[in-house]
Amino acid sequence: MNAEVSLVLQRKYEQLQQLADDPSAQISQVFEKSLQYVRRFSRYQNPDAVKQVREVLTRNQLHEFEVCVIGNLCPETVEEAKALVPSITKRGRMDDEKIETMLTDLATIKKFE
Amino acid sequence: MRIAILGCAYAVFRGDWVGSFSAGGTENGSKMFFHIYLDRNMQLHPRHFGPHLRDKLIAKLIQDVEGTCSGRHGFVVAVTAVETIGSGLIRDGTGFVTFPVKYQCVVFRPFKGEILESVVTMVNKMGFFAEAGPVQIFVSNHLIPDDMVFQSGDVPSYETSDGSVRIQKDSEVRLKIVGTRVDATEIFCIGTIKDDFLGLIGDPGGAT
């Protein structure tokens, strides 16, 4: 999820700053852009909140990419979740109630992070 | 002539921040960000040999690999850890030594059908360009809902007839990738906002 990537890249950036003994080693543009992107679009600032979110989502036996799409986009309604990740309905693994519970859990974590 | 230089087979700078959230295995990041292991043969000139051989090798690896892009893995954003450095092999004819290095890195690869959020960078009458991390995405006006019309002027934008939704430079837009193209050095995508729940973010309900 973007939030996790943001933490990884942030640490790496700090490391790079400390090792600034080699001024010719510029931070690549790709890194810079990615860092800006994940900072802007990560929904959760607190690392504990991120862990909780991951826990909630993996509890429901979702595929890895489903976890990430829902974690990144934070759908608010069940229809939105179904439109963004159609595969959660396909295999009949999750019914509307379960999706609803999951989304409310995420919203709670976000509110109290 | 093959002389194996004493290889360093232990992991170097395995930061604890990598371990703190790879509890679920090696996947770290969204569908587009992946945390994967890659291999590379690094060549090193003998002038770098000495007590800091490993560090120089890793620095060279980072310099070579970070910021590049491959068709298979996408953009390599950052090297997070070096797993193993194998024994070095001296090349015949030159003094260079080749080390096989296995490392872990964060890569960014967009997929077709993926929905992601991006920032608009340029708007013109053919459509608009948006950026998501290192990747550029183009949304053509055919893939923009019909009720949004191009407005030229000081600040070109796409606006609905009642002015409720306005997409201009620096707006955040959620879009779906419909195609990707990989060049030698970058990945370029085509996107759409014509589906449900896509479009400007921050707008209740998104674009219709």
Side-chain angles (χ1 to χ4, degrees):
Chain A
M1 282 187 283
N2 283 347
E4 292 166 345
V5 182
S6 142
L7 292 169
V8 174
L9 290 186
Q10 187 65 33
R11 301 260 194 146
K12 175 88 193 187
Y13 186 67
E14 281 159 18
Q15 253 196 10
L16 280 175
Q17 298 284 48
Q18 283 169 358
L19 297 171
D21 50 340
D22 186 3
S24 66
Q26 292 278 346
I27 300 176
S28 69
Q29 217 195 24
V30 168
F31 184 81
E32 192 80 29
K33 283 194 175 166
S34 306
L35 184 58
Q36 275 175 13
Y37 175 71
V38 291
R39 267 200 199 142
R40 189 164 176 174
F41 289 111
S42 79
R43 305 277 182 148
Y44 311 98
Q45 309 302 329
N46 190 348
D48 291 324
V50 176
K51 276 194 214 154
Q52 277 186 349
V53 167
R54 186 161 268 272
E55 231 177 279
V56 166
L57 291 172
T58 44
R59 228 190 292 158
N60 293 297
Q61 296 154 341
L62 293 171
H63 197 276
E64 184 70 31
F65 81 86
E66 291 163 355
V67 168
C68 291
V69 174
I70 296 183
N72 272 341
L73 301 175
C74 290
E76 284 164 19
T77 62
V78 180
E79 286 88 40
E80 197 178 341
K82 283 205 246 184
L84 297 175
V85 199
S87 59
I88 53 176
T89 47
K90 249 182 217 164
R91 292 201 228 160
R93 292 177 301 168
M94 292 195 69
D95 50 357
D96 288 358
E97 248 187 61
K98 276 180 85 178
I99 302 178
E100 179 87 41
T101 338
M102 187 170 69
L103 295 180
T104 30
D105 284 343
L106 289 184
T108 328
I109 296 175
K110 186 158 179 197
K111 232 190 325 174
F112 294 113
E113 68 156 332
Chain B
M1 185 165 65
R2 255 200 213 176
I3 300 177
I5 296 200
L6 199 59
C8 350
Y10 51 84
V12 185
F13 68 76
R14 189 188 289 285
D16 53 322
W17 39 269
V18 170
S20 68
F21 37 74
S22 29
T26 52
E27 286 284 326
N28 167 24
S30 78
K31 216 165 61 153
M32 31 180 188
F33 283 103
F34 295 92
H35 204 191
I36 55 173
Y37 286 98
L38 289 177
D39 280 302
R40 193 180 167 90
N41 287 325
M42 300 293 315
Q43 285 216 353
L44 205 59
H45 192 278
R47 71 162 176 265
H48 298 299
F49 294 172
H52 302 294
L53 172 67
R54 295 184 300 283
D55 299 333
K56 294 237 168 79
L57 196 58
I58 292 168
K60 189 159 192 290
L61 171 75
I62 292 180
Q63 209 178 359
D64 275 357
V65 139
E66 264 188 17
T68 59
C69 166
S70 81
R72 191 142 172 255
H73 303 117
F75 283 98
V76 176
V77 176
V79 172
T80 50
V82 172
E83 176 91 356
T84 54
I85 300 179
S87 315
L89 227 52
I90 301 184
R91 320 285 304 161
D92 295 344
T94 74
F96 281 90
V97 176
T98 306
F99 290 91
V101 182
K102 184 167 177 184
Y103 59 98
Q104 201 181 28
C105 53
V106 176
V107 294
F108 180 93
R109 194 195 188 291
F111 285 93
K112 183 170 146 175
E114 187 179 339
I115 297 180
L116 49 83
E117 297 169 348
S118 59
V119 178
V120 176
T121 49
M122 186 167 86
V123 181
N124 64 29
K125 67 170 163 50
M126 306 298 298
F128 64 84
F129 281 92
E131 222 173 60
V135 111
Q136 277 245 355
I137 306 167
F138 178 63
V139 181
S140 117
N141 58 10
H142 300 294
L143 295 172
I144 298 177
D146 300 326
D147 58 349
M148 298 197 73
V149 188
F150 177 65
Q151 307 285 353
S152 55
D154 275 349
V155 184
S157 64
Y158 276 90
E159 240 180 68
T160 48
S161 42
D162 55 0
S164 60
V165 179
R166 193 173 168 177
I167 295 183
Q168 60 188 35
K169 184 161 184 272
D170 228 31
S171 341
E172 296 180 6
V173 165
R174 185 184 286 180
L175 46 81
K176 180 162 153 176
I177 305 226
V178 288
T180 56
R181 192 188 75 203
V182 182
D183 266 346
T185 51
E186 58 176 330
I187 300 185
F188 187 77
C189 300
I190 310 284
T192 174
I193 54 170
K194 218 167 187 179
D195 282 341
D196 288 336
F197 299 108
L198 300 180
L200 196 68
I201 301 171
D203 193 79
T208 45

